């Protein structure tokens, strides 16, 4: 049997936290090339290392 070492935690954030975080992230991240004129809502963010070690 395979052991699972990965854990997924989910947190709800307020609209104010969303706007603050989005403002900070847009300064350091490039927009998705599939983002249209009106954009689309991101519902989940996953932070991981390039080699899936976290």
């Amino acid at each position: 049997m395979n052991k699972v070492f990965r854990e997924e935690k989910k947190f709800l954030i307020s609209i104010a936290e969303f706007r603050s975080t989005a403002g900070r992230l847009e300064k350091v991240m490039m927009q998705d090339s599939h983002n249209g004129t009106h954009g689309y809502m991101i519902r989940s963010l996953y932070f991981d290392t390039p080699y899936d070690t976290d």
Side-chain angles (χ1 to χ4, degrees), residues 12-52:
L12 291 175
I13 62 171
S14 68
I15 295 295
E17 289 173 305
F18 162 75
R19 289 184 178 140
S20 172
T21 303
R24 288 185 291 155
L25 289 175
E26 73 181 5
K27 294 176 183 174
V28 296
M29 298 179 77
M30 295 180 352
Q31 284 197 22
D32 184 337
S33 62
H34 300 285
N35 191 14
T37 305
H38 302 289
Y40 55 87
M41 183 62 68
I42 302 294
R43 295 175 48 160
S44 298
L45 288 177
Y46 293 88
F47 294 98
D48 213 333
T49 59
Y51 299 103
D52 292 331

